[in-house]
Amino acid sequence: MELNKRQEKILQIVKDNGPITGEHIAEQLNLTRATLRPDLAILTMAGYLDARPRVGYFYSGKSSAQLLTENLKKIVVKDYQSIPVVVNENISVYDAIVTVFLEDVGTLFVVDENLLLVGVLSRKDLLRASIGKQELSSLPVNIIMTRMPNITMCKKDDLLIDVAKKLIEKQIDSVPVVKETSNHAYEVIGRITKTNITKAFVALADEDF
C-alpha cells in the first residue's frame, strides 16, 4: 500500500508521540479531526496503526512486508476457486483433448460413475499419449491419468498461499478443490490454478481481497 504525504506525516507523528489522540494529531497538522478521519481509518485498517478507546492511536510496529504476510494468510481457497472441468474415467484420450481445447483449461479432473475423484489429466499426460502410436479414440483416459493417492488436492478452507507452494513444489498448473465424503472418497467442488492465485495477488495489491 502506498501512503500519501499526509498519511506519512500522521504515521510519523504517531511513531514519535503515540499513544496519541486524533485531536492531538489534528492539532499538530493544523487540521480538523473530521478532515483526518478518513486517513486514520485507512492507516488503522491497513494495519499501520492500532487504536484503543480512551487511549488513542499508536504505531503497530509492523513493516509493509509483515502486513503483506498477514494479509496473505487471510486468503483462503474458497475466495478464489473456480469451476472445475471434470470428465468420466471411461472417455477416450481424443475426447479429453477436445475437452481441453473447448473448455480452454490445462487440467481435467477424472471422476468415476459416482462422480468421485479418481484421477487427474494434465496437458503433459495428453501430449505424451499423442506422441505414441496408440489410437487415441479407443484409448481410455484411465490408462494415462495420474491416480490416487498421487493426486495433489486442497480443501476450500485451506490457505491460498499454501496451495501456491504446492503448485511450485509439484511443478503443476492446477489442483482440485475437494470435499471428503462419508466413505473417505473425494468429490470435486472446484479448482485452483496459477491464474486464480495471480488474481488473488493482484487483488491483494489493489486491496480488493
Side-chain angles (χ1 to χ4, degrees), residues 168-197:
I168 294 170
E169 178 188 350
K170 302 291 185 179
Q171 297 183 351
I172 54 180
D173 296 328
S174 174
V175 296
V177 183
V178 300
K179 178 175 68 174
E180 190 168 0
T181 65
S182 56
N183 58 348
H184 303 295
Y186 296 96
E187 176 187 350
V188 181
I189 60 173
R191 64 175 170 148
I192 287 291
T193 68
K194 290 179 178 178
T195 300
N196 297 130
I197 292 171

Side-chain angles (χ1 to χ4, degrees), residues 97-154:
I97 293 172
V98 171
T99 301
V100 164
F101 278 98
L102 290 177
E103 298 290 344
D104 192 22
V105 294
T107 305
L108 300 175
F109 304 120
V110 186
V111 297
D112 62 14
E113 66 276 5
N114 297 314
L115 302 180
L116 299 175
L117 180 66
V118 293
V120 171
L121 271 176
S122 69
R123 283 177 292 191
K124 289 181 181 178
D125 295 326
L126 297 172
L127 179 60
R128 193 179 300 113
S130 300
I131 293 174
K133 297 181 180 180
Q134 303 174 84
E135 177 57 48
L136 299 183
S137 59
S138 60
L139 179 66
V141 294
N142 59 21
I143 300 297
I144 67 167
M145 69 185 185
T146 300
R147 294 176 171 273
M148 299 289 283
N150 298 317
I151 299 175
T152 302
M153 304 175 288
C154 67

Side-chain angles (χ1 to χ4, degrees), residues 7-118:
Q7 291 164 355
E8 288 177 351
K9 288 179 180 178
I10 293 171
L11 204 56
Q12 191 59 52
I13 289 171
V14 177
K15 283 182 181 180
D16 295 339
N17 303 283
I20 182 172
T21 65
E23 288 77 9
H24 288 151
I25 297 172
E27 286 177 9
Q28 292 198 34
L29 293 173
N30 294 318
L31 296 170
T32 65
R33 174 73 172 82
T35 302
L36 288 187
R37 189 171 290 117
D39 293 312
L40 290 169
I42 289 170
L43 290 170
T44 303
M45 287 188 292
Y48 288 102
L49 300 180
D50 280 331
R52 292 179 185 170
R54 294 184 297 278
V55 174
Y57 295 91
F58 57 95
Y59 181 57
S60 69
K62 296 173 183 175
S63 66
S64 297
Q66 287 173 314
L67 294 172
L68 176 61
T69 299
E70 288 183 1
N71 287 334
L72 280 173
K73 292 181 178 179
K74 295 177 184 176
I75 307 175
V76 293
V77 165
K78 64 184 176 184
D79 296 331
Y80 282 94
Q81 70 184 52
S82 52
I83 298 172
V85 179
V86 300
V87 295
N88 186 271
E89 63 181 331
N90 295 317
I91 74 163
S92 69
V93 171
Y94 176 84
D95 288 336
I97 293 172
V98 171
T99 301
V100 164
F101 278 98
L102 290 177
E103 298 290 344
D104 192 22
V105 294
T107 305
L108 300 175
F109 304 120
V110 186
V111 297
D112 62 14
E113 66 276 5
N114 297 314
L115 302 180
L116 299 175
L117 180 66
V118 293

